[in-house]
Amino acid sequence: MNKKNRVTSYDVAHAAGVSQSAVSRVYRPGVSVSKKTREKVLKAAEELGYKPNAIARMLINQSTGMIAVIISSRANVNFPEVLAQLNKHIAEKNKRVLLFTLDDAEQLETVIEQILAYQVDGVVALTAHFEPDSVTQFAKHNIPVVLYNRELPDHSVSSVCCNHDQGLRMLVDILVSHHHQHFLIMAGPKDSDVARARLSGARNALLSHGFTDTNVVYGDYSYDSARECLSAYAEKNALPTAIICANDTMAIGAIDEIRENLNLRVPEDISVVGFDGISASSWHSYQLTTVSQPTYFMTKAAVETLVNLIESPDIPPETRYWPGKLIEGNSVAAAPRDNE
Amino acid sequence: MNKKNRVTSYDVAHAAGVSQSAVSRVYRPGVSVSKKTREKVLKAAEELGYKPNAIARMLINQSTGMIAVIISSRANVNFPEVLAQLNKHIAEKNKRVLLFTLDDAEQLETVIEQILAYQVDGVVALTAHFEPDSVTQFAKHNIPVVLYNRELPDHSVSSVCCNHDQGLRMLVDILVSHHHQHFLIMAGPKDSDVARARLSGARNALLSHGFTDTNVVYGDYSYDSARECLSAYAEKNALPTAIICANDTMAIGAIDEIRENLNLRVPEDISVVGFDGISASSWHSYQLTTVSQPTYFMTKAAVETLVNLIESPDIPPETRYWPGKLIEGNSVAAAPRDNE
DNA sequence: ATAATAATTGCATTCGAAGTCATTCTTATG
DNA sequence: CATAAGAATGACTTCGAATGCAATTATTAT
């Protein structure tokens, strides 16, 4: 035993009266070991409490079985769910999640250094603060990367994304079919890719119905920011009949602001739609019409894409879009008549 | 360069015309290297794109710098926040989070094997399914463990817990000071330690005011379960004037059930209190009176306790309690008069 | 200039498991 | 019973960085 009291394959070999190679072979599948040796080794291992040292194994195998997952702590609300599911799918592939937080651009260099040092097999990036240059660094070191809900302009890196355009089109179609003509877009933070994608999705959908130049206010995905920016908007502008929010949390904030401070009703006076399908969106007080992301399938796809890349690095980068699922709540009604 | 194209310290040494030891020393703080050598090495490293291999370093250092964090995916709602904060504090200690999910007792053995194999420096357990026996296994291998919001009966392992007793006492005191006499406790899942602690906290607090045998219904921490179990209870029992819920999400479910199906008002007819201080608890429709856990301090304490244990394994196990913080919302009012 | 001391440097070994290769032991076959 | 074919085994090397130790060079004091 060494200083740290760790039982090594040599200790087991000694106790079992065999060589270290024999011990190693017992723990590798598909290698020929006689039944007698195997039993001796397992018995000794059991008695000593031996567990193969994964670190040593990583060194010789040139593969760590670790996947770096990069998150930003102030990400969109459904990240916990996404993280838990990612972790599950990664565990099923017999790999582990090594977690990194990236909150601002400053930390970028440090985090990348660390990820490279840890020799991870691959990277899943859930964060906004992740420049194309950084991705290049991983490429240089032959580390496959999959982006989650984010795509590079040149699609040089594999991505798994919810189809925000399609989701927003469904929401806008519903609003338009309810005769709405006066819209407000409540967008998410300008530095978030998802927020940008949803904003442009909303604009495109409105454009296709002939609505140009829709007003936009910007929040930061939070309930409070939604209330503040709507309240500020209402002071200087005529109210819209429909608000398209970048996520459910802001939609809920908007609804509360409309009811409490603007003294109007949702959906009778103003219709509100969200995006994400968080559990609060179905609560009785809100019953949001929203689009939910198929996170189960998206996380599964992300892990599969990554594992394939790890096994065959030459697979060209692929972008997979998943359609959102419309959830019709009770936050959309026919637009009030203009002269009302 | 080796097969995987990795640049090693030997490559750098060769390029810089020095020995491998010299390269190694450049990357170790507090070791004497001449300015000339350092510059040569750094220049060569830069050109080749060398990053020290953390795996090799772990092997020789007998320390991985990795902390295993065990979560269960269906844990209490605030786990994402807790996980993000834990990760942050761990990163500040210059260590990494290796994530494990433990959803049921079956996986226990596998997860423990993995954790031991990965030679983590320590373990933070956030999960319910974690028997005292398992903790012993880590002790055998000299791996420090800190439990989060969970304590062992014999306190043989360090824990960081929110003081649920104190929190529930504050909540019950408020209800009693509003003249409530008829209570219902809406408890969390029976297999959760936190849920049990909150249940017993509520019972103790009520007892101290002379209320014995308060009725209890059990939910699973979710909004839907709260609505269901309250609805079932209401069919067969007289309604209480105050409901003490094991967490905010269930409190919100209870409020919606009261308003929508029991056609009563909160707080005028029935008062409701929750626990956790999730963001939704302050939303206008609910404005819960609740107790928030000081997760920032708790996670910081957990990491500090663990790091201390890693550095000095002989520190005896310690249980640290953090008081919850009362948030007075608008979900508690004076009890309606009995003959109303 | 020279001795004495301090600062650098390289060699060789270590961490623990896995795999190559040569050798020994089985087993089956003629 | 001899022998070829196959299975099982152990000695030794590898992965990449860190470090004790001895040797070398630089610095300071005399």
Side-chain angles (χ1 to χ4, degrees):
Chain A
M1 290 218 235
N2 59 32
K3 28 187 160 161
K4 267 225 162 174
N5 254 348
R6 283 185 191 148
V7 183
T8 75
S9 56
Y10 285 93
D11 301 322
V12 177
H14 183 77
V18 297
S19 75
Q20 179 267 326
S21 320
V23 177
S24 170
R25 277 190 269 262
V26 169
Y27 289 89
R28 294 280 73 190
V31 191
S32 67
V33 193
S34 71
K35 198 180 280 185
K36 226 186 298 173
T37 308
R38 163 165 277 117
E39 276 164 11
K40 276 194 293 186
V41 168
L42 288 178
K43 184 161 157 286
E46 168 78 13
E47 276 165 16
L48 297 173
Y50 169 73
K51 312 277 171 196
N53 183 325
I55 305 301
R57 199 176 262 178
M58 289 176 196
L59 192 56
I60 191 80
N61 284 342
Q62 304 269 310
S63 154
T64 57
M66 300 194 296
I67 305 286
V69 173
I70 315 179
I71 59 175
S72 38
S73 64
R74 53 170 215 83
N76 198 356
V77 206
N78 69 349
F79 117 72
E81 189 191 345
V82 171
L83 181 57
Q85 288 181 0
L86 268 180
N87 185 45
K88 207 158 186 176
H89 291 130
I90 289 174
E92 274 161 17
K93 296 287 183 180
N94 205 24
K95 298 191 181 285
R96 314 275 126 233
V97 168
L98 197 61
L99 199 60
F100 293 86
T101 319
L102 186 54
D103 280 330
D104 46 63
E106 293 168 40
Q107 309 167 4
L108 186 64
E109 203 45 45
T110 322
V111 168
I112 292 184
E113 296 248 315
Q114 304 242 21
I115 293 181
L116 290 175
Y118 276 92
Q119 318 285 128
V120 297
D121 290 352
V123 176
V124 179
L126 302 180
T127 178
H129 311 273
F130 198 59
E131 299 306 310
D133 285 2
S134 329
V135 181
T136 315
Q137 287 214 47
F138 290 114
K140 234 184 259 167
H141 291 263
N142 300 318
I143 299 180
V145 176
V146 170
L147 305 178
Y148 187 90
N149 254 346
R150 160 126 211 242
E151 38 190 323
L152 254 39
D154 62 355
H155 289 258
S156 58
V157 173
S158 289
S159 301
V160 173
C161 300
C162 180
N163 192 332
H164 296 112
D165 270 352
Q166 171 258 4
L168 276 147
R169 167 169 291 280
M170 292 193 292
L171 293 167
V172 167
D173 283 353
I174 285 190
L175 292 173
V176 169
S177 75
H178 281 81
H179 312 298
H180 286 273
Q181 308 203 11
H182 305 291
F183 302 92
L184 172 65
I185 300 176
M186 185 177 282
K190 292 182 186 171
D191 64 353
S192 149
D193 286 291
V194 173
R196 274 200 295 263
R198 291 181 184 175
L199 172 55
S200 96
R203 279 184 168 144
N204 291 342
L206 287 169
L207 260 180
S208 74
H209 285 289
F211 297 105
T212 55
D213 298 324
T214 301
N215 284 339
V216 178
V217 292
Y218 291 88
D220 67 0
Y221 277 150
S222 74
Y223 175 88
D224 289 336
S225 76
R227 296 195 62 154
E228 280 159 24
C229 70
L230 179 55
S231 149
Y233 181 83
E235 279 181 18
K236 302 191 187 161
N237 303 272
L239 285 172
T241 64
I243 304 182
I244 300 161
C245 304
N247 72 348
D248 288 349
T249 308
M250 288 206 297
I252 288 171
I255 291 176
D256 278 355
E257 184 66 22
I258 292 168
R259 289 178 176 159
E260 191 182 2
N261 286 337
L262 305 182
N263 291 312
L264 294 171
R265 294 159 301 164
V266 174
E268 294 84 352
D269 299 315
I270 302 187
S271 294
V272 176
V273 298
F275 207 109
D276 275 347
I278 64 174
S279 55
S281 72
S282 64
W283 291 354
H284 174 245
S285 304
Y286 302 109
Q287 297 178 70
L288 262 185
T289 291
T290 185
V291 166
S292 75
Q293 297 190 55
T295 53
Y296 176 84
F297 295 102
M298 288 173 64
T299 51
K300 198 171 154 79
V303 172
E304 266 164 14
T305 302
L306 186 61
V307 169
N308 287 339
L309 273 172
I310 291 169
E311 280 161 12
S312 324
D314 296 329
I315 298 176
E318 172 190 24
T319 305
R320 298 169 74 173
Y321 292 102
W322 290 84
K325 192 176 145 225
L326 184 69
I327 300 175
E328 291 201 65
N330 193 26
S331 65
V332 172
R337 301 244 307 281
D338 264 346
N339 55 354
E340 215 175 32
Chain B
M1 293 218 234
N2 59 33
K3 28 188 161 161
K4 267 226 165 175
N5 253 348
R6 282 183 190 150
V7 183
T8 75
S9 57
Y10 285 93
D11 302 323
V12 176
H14 183 76
V18 298
S19 74
Q20 180 268 327
S21 325
V23 177
S24 170
R25 277 190 266 260
V26 170
Y27 289 88
R28 295 279 74 192
V31 191
S32 68
V33 193
S34 71
K35 197 179 284 183
K36 225 186 300 172
T37 308
R38 163 166 276 117
E39 276 163 11
K40 276 194 292 185
V41 168
L42 288 178
K43 184 161 156 286
E46 168 78 13
E47 276 165 15
L48 297 174
Y50 169 73
K51 312 278 172 197
N53 183 324
I55 306 301
R57 198 176 264 177
M58 290 176 195
L59 191 57
I60 191 80
N61 283 345
Q62 304 267 38
S63 154
T64 57
M66 299 194 295
I67 306 285
V69 173
I70 315 179
I71 60 175
S72 37
S73 63
R74 52 171 215 81
N76 198 357
V77 206
N78 69 350
F79 115 73
E81 189 191 344
V82 171
L83 180 57
Q85 288 181 1
L86 269 179
N87 185 47
K88 206 157 185 176
H89 292 129
I90 289 173
E92 273 161 17
K93 297 287 184 180
N94 206 22
K95 297 190 182 284
R96 314 275 126 234
V97 168
L98 196 61
L99 198 61
F100 293 86
T101 319
L102 186 54
D103 280 330
D104 46 63
E106 294 168 39
Q107 309 166 4
L108 186 63
E109 203 45 45
T110 322
V111 168
I112 292 184
E113 296 249 314
Q114 305 241 22
I115 293 180
L116 290 175
Y118 276 92
Q119 319 283 322
V120 296
D121 290 351
V123 176
V124 179
L126 303 180
T127 178
H129 311 272
F130 197 60
E131 300 306 310
D133 285 1
S134 327
V135 181
T136 315
Q137 288 214 46
F138 290 113
K140 233 184 259 166
H141 291 262
N142 300 317
I143 299 180
V145 176
V146 170
L147 305 177
Y148 187 90
N149 255 345
R150 158 125 212 242
E151 38 190 323
L152 254 39
D154 62 355
H155 289 259
S156 57
V157 172
S158 289
S159 300
V160 172
C161 300
C162 181
N163 192 334
H164 296 110
D165 270 351
Q166 171 258 3
L168 276 146
R169 166 168 292 279
M170 291 193 292
L171 293 168
V172 167
D173 283 353
I174 285 191
L175 292 173
V176 169
S177 75
H178 282 81
H179 312 297
H180 286 274
Q181 309 203 11
H182 306 291
F183 302 92
L184 172 64
I185 299 175
M186 185 177 285
K190 293 182 184 171
D191 64 353
S192 150
D193 287 290
V194 173
R196 275 199 296 264
R198 290 181 184 176
L199 172 55
S200 95
R203 279 185 168 140
N204 292 342
L206 287 168
L207 260 179
S208 76
H209 286 288
F211 298 104
T212 54
D213 297 324
T214 301
N215 284 338
V216 178
V217 291
Y218 291 89
D220 66 2
Y221 276 150
S222 74
Y223 176 88
D224 289 335
S225 76
R227 295 195 64 154
E228 280 158 24
C229 71
L230 179 55
S231 150
Y233 181 84
E235 278 180 17
K236 304 192 184 156
N237 303 272
L239 286 173
T241 65
I243 304 182
I244 300 161
C245 303
N247 72 348
D248 287 348
T249 307
M250 289 205 296
I252 288 171
I255 291 176
D256 277 354
E257 183 67 21
I258 292 167
R259 290 178 176 159
E260 191 182 5
N261 287 337
L262 305 181
N263 290 311
L264 294 171
R265 294 160 301 164
V266 175
E268 293 84 352
D269 300 315
I270 302 186
S271 294
V272 176
V273 297
F275 208 109
D276 276 345
I278 64 174
S279 56
S281 71
S282 64
W283 291 353
H284 174 245
S285 304
Y286 303 108
Q287 296 179 71
L288 263 184
T289 291
T290 184
V291 166
S292 76
Q293 296 191 54
T295 53
Y296 175 84
F297 295 103
M298 289 173 64
T299 52
K300 198 172 154 79
V303 171
E304 264 163 15
T305 303
L306 186 61
V307 169
N308 287 340
L309 273 172
I310 292 169
E311 280 162 11
S312 325
D314 297 328
I315 298 174
E318 171 190 26
T319 305
R320 297 168 73 173
Y321 292 101
W322 290 84
K325 191 176 146 225
L326 184 68
I327 299 175
E328 291 202 64
N330 193 25
S331 66
V332 172
R337 303 242 309 281
D338 264 346
N339 55 353
E340 214 174 29

